[in-house]
Amino acid sequence: MMNFIFYLIMIMISGIFYGMSILQSRPHKNILLENTLPNEALHSEELADFIKKHRQKNLFVALFSIIFYLPLLFISYDSLLILYFFVGMFAEIGVFYALQVISIGRLYHLKVAQNWQVPTAEKIIVDTKTIQQKNQKIISPWWFMLSLLLNIIASWLIYTIFKTGAAFWWTLIGSMALTFLFVGLYQIIKHLPVKANTKDASINQQFNDLFVHDWSLLTGVSSLVLAVIPFFIPLSLNAIPPFDTILFSVLIIAVIAYIGWTFWLLFNTRKKQDNLLAKSQIIYRDEDPFWRFGIYNNPADKRLNVPDRIGMNISVNFGRPFGKLIYSLLGVFLVALVVFVTVPMLKADFSDDAFVGEIQDQVVLLKAPLAADAHIKFSEIERVEEISELPKNRLRIAGTATNHYLTGKFQIAGSSAKLYIYQPSQPILKISTKNTIYYFASKNSADTKKLAEELTSQFTK
């Protein structure tokens, strides 16, 4: 099942990147692939032929990815599956990005060869009326108060089920952090400076109102959607077959609907903005030198965040010191994420001592990848037994759940549990204490049985 999910995710990513390449090849504010073009160039045969070739190359990459990712369906090792997923994703991003860079350069040379020059504004035009009324269509910040209220309610419901302060605080802190992330994006949108895109003040106002309203609406709806998702945890724990499957399906459909609505909203906003611009004379600005390879780099611009040129995103100004820091931290984070996830999994798949259970000085020591070591004192143990399988009613709190291993903190049959399990192996050793139940299964079933016999002998003396 996990193999198919990863394959489906990568196909969706390929489709998104191909869709973005199509969008980049459609002019917005007379900008196409980072090149500002005059109106007569937008309808020329030379440009139409260029766009056709650009789209064909991107389509080939998207179709090729369907074959390239087929191994995801057959890789049996979890670590290699994750590694192939990350490598494939970064490779595809690199290929699409390289095609974009090549097309930007070729279009620039075509622009020079055809002498497609645009009349740039000789002076800066300031639309004071639009500046004064720039946020009149922004949504109310009370949207986020509702999200925060839902965060608190969801955290309380989870506390009533798990009966632990950790479950309450982790849920509350995590959900509120996401809410405040969207509050931050809302503030960025609110404080973005306004530029006159045409010589018509009325159109400038409508253009800005569309941007501010739709983008602020996206932040508000996103915060509400993420605030509702934690409610599925208590619902799923109390659901019995087949309602648990129905509930999971509803969640997946809701997430897909939210993603679809997001793309529809942004495409619709851009389409409406383009229709507005077609009604008046556009004010051209010579900003092409500051946009290179999809990145805005203008040290003279004091803004940290700027709307991107295709009207579907908010970019970071690489020319600002903090902008450089953000891009650097993002790169470090992505590398660290790959290392953090794949290295322990490689150990779990290919090391014989990845799952360790042993007795040291009246203490049971349990180890597994991507899980904190457990040190269980003999005095804390209430019961030791061997079981053939885990209870079905389980929920992962903080850990790993793959086709081959379960490690970390879980909630099992209403009790707090810590798992150190290699799933293909049996039996499973169950160690019960007052507050936590520990489950352990080594790669070598003989090691699990040996530990069980040693513990049983200690408690039958």
Side-chain angles (χ1 to χ4, degrees):
M1 182 63 178
M2 192 168 74
N3 297 64
F4 178 74
I5 291 174
F6 275 111
Y7 181 74
L8 185 61
I9 290 173
M10 294 311 301
I11 298 304
M12 290 176 61
I13 290 175
S14 299
I16 290 173
F17 274 111
Y18 175 66
M20 292 302 295
S21 71
I22 296 295
L23 194 65
Q24 291 167 354
S25 62
R26 290 179 178 174
H28 179 62
K29 296 187 289 187
N30 283 53
I31 299 167
L32 188 149
L33 286 166
E34 294 188 4
N35 287 274
T36 305
L37 304 174
N39 286 327
E40 60 270 19
L42 299 179
H43 306 288
S44 66
E45 294 183 1
E46 292 83 0
L47 185 63
D49 183 62
F50 171 85
I51 292 174
K52 180 180 178 181
K53 292 178 180 178
H54 169 76
R55 292 179 178 179
Q56 287 176 342
K57 293 174 183 177
N58 283 272
L59 178 60
F60 174 80
V61 173
L63 294 176
F64 178 77
S65 66
I66 297 175
I67 301 173
F68 179 77
Y69 293 124
L70 280 176
L72 288 172
L73 297 172
F74 308 104
I75 296 175
S76 58
Y77 289 104
D78 295 324
S79 59
L80 297 182
L81 177 66
I82 296 293
L83 189 60
Y84 195 96
F85 172 81
F86 277 124
V87 171
M89 181 173 62
F90 291 142
E92 182 168 21
I93 292 174
V95 171
F96 274 111
Y97 184 68
L99 287 176
Q100 176 186 343
V101 170
I102 293 171
S103 294
I104 289 171
R106 289 179 175 173
L107 180 56
Y108 173 78
H109 289 298
L110 179 62
K111 176 182 175 180
V112 173
Q114 297 294 326
N115 196 27
W116 288 335
Q117 302 299 322
V118 293
T120 57
E122 297 180 357
K123 57 183 179 179
I124 298 176
I125 299 176
V126 179
D127 190 336
T128 55
K129 183 178 179 181
T130 303
I131 292 174
Q132 292 171 353
Q133 301 178 1
K134 69 174 185 175
N135 288 323
Q136 65 177 2
K137 295 296 185 179
I138 197 168
I139 67 167
S140 170
W142 285 102
W143 281 64
F144 301 101
M145 295 302 296
L146 178 58
S147 298
L148 291 173
L149 178 61
L150 291 173
N151 294 155
I152 296 172
I153 295 173
S155 302
W156 178 81
L157 287 175
I158 290 175
Y159 172 76
T160 61
I161 293 176
F162 297 132
K163 304 296 183 183
T164 62
F168 172 82
W169 286 111
W170 276 112
T171 305
L172 183 63
I173 292 172
S175 58
M176 291 187 101
L178 290 173
T179 298
F180 281 113
L181 172 64
F182 287 106
V183 170
L185 292 174
Y186 174 88
Q187 290 298 322
I188 289 173
I189 294 164
K190 183 178 180 180
H191 291 93
L192 282 174
V194 177
K195 287 186 177 181
N197 294 291
T198 73
K199 295 183 177 180
D200 189 320
S202 173
I203 289 179
N204 291 336
Q205 184 67 58
Q206 295 178 62
F207 187 96
N208 180 74
D209 287 345
L210 268 172
F211 176 84
V212 170
H213 175 268
D214 289 0
W215 269 94
S216 63
L217 178 64
L218 179 59
T219 61
V221 171
S222 298
S223 68
L224 287 173
V225 169
L226 293 177
V228 168
I229 287 178
F231 284 91
F232 281 85
I233 296 176
L235 290 174
S236 62
L237 288 176
N238 295 319
I240 58 175
F243 296 105
D244 55 345
T245 303
I246 295 175
L247 191 64
F248 179 74
S249 301
V250 169
L251 176 60
I252 296 299
I253 292 172
V255 170
I256 293 174
Y258 163 72
I259 295 173
W261 174 81
T262 298
F263 277 98
W264 173 84
L265 177 70
L266 297 179
F267 274 98
N268 192 51
T269 302
R270 176 186 155 119
K271 182 179 179 181
K272 289 180 178 178
Q273 288 179 330
D274 287 337
N275 290 337
L276 284 171
L277 294 176
K279 297 178 181 179
S280 181
Q281 183 179 353
I282 294 177
I283 298 175
Y284 297 102
R285 291 183 177 86
D286 189 17
E287 293 186 342
D288 289 2
F290 302 123
W291 286 93
R292 281 292 175 264
F293 317 130
I295 297 175
Y296 183 68
N297 186 356
N298 185 0
D301 191 340
K302 301 301 181 183
R303 295 177 296 171
L304 176 63
N305 300 100
V306 295
D308 72 358
R309 306 196 90 187
I310 63 172
M312 292 286 289
N313 197 5
I314 294 177
S315 298
V316 175
N317 184 0
F318 189 74
R320 306 301 300 162
F322 196 64
K324 291 182 174 65
L325 178 62
I326 291 174
Y327 278 108
S328 299
L329 290 177
L330 178 61
V332 171
F333 170 77
L334 292 175
V335 173
L337 176 65
V338 174
V339 173
F340 175 78
V341 173
T342 57
V343 170
M345 285 189 169
L346 286 168
K347 181 179 179 182
D349 283 334
F350 299 104
S351 175
D352 293 332
D353 60 350
F355 295 81
V356 176
E358 58 188 13
I359 298 174
Q360 297 179 355
D361 300 326
Q362 302 295 300
V363 174
V364 180
L365 174 63
L366 302 179
K367 294 182 178 182
L370 296 173
D373 296 351
H375 297 81
I376 314 165
K377 297 179 180 179
F378 277 11
S379 58
E380 299 174 345
I381 298 176
E382 297 179 348
R383 185 177 180 183
V384 177
E385 58 184 311
E386 293 183 36
I387 58 177
S388 59
E389 62 180 2
L390 286 172
K392 300 297 183 184
N393 185 12
R394 60 178 182 262
L395 175 69
R396 181 180 57 180
I397 304 299
T400 305
T402 71
N403 293 333
H404 294 88
Y405 30 89
L406 301 170
T407 62
K409 294 181 180 180
F410 284 71
Q411 192 83 8
I412 295 183
S415 301
S416 176
K418 292 185 178 180
L419 275 57
Y420 305 81
I421 294 177
Y422 183 70
Q423 292 206 73
S425 179
Q426 288 184 349
I428 298 172
L429 174 61
K430 178 181 178 182
I431 304 174
S432 302
T433 66
K434 182 179 180 180
N435 299 319
T436 306
I437 301 175
Y438 299 85
Y439 295 88
F440 173 77
S442 176
K443 277 189 170 184
N444 188 343
S445 58
D447 293 338
T448 306
K449 292 179 181 179
K450 180 182 177 182
L451 179 60
E453 291 172 357
E454 291 177 358
L455 286 174
T456 301
S457 64
Q458 290 286 339
F459 289 96
T460 55
K461 290 181 180 179

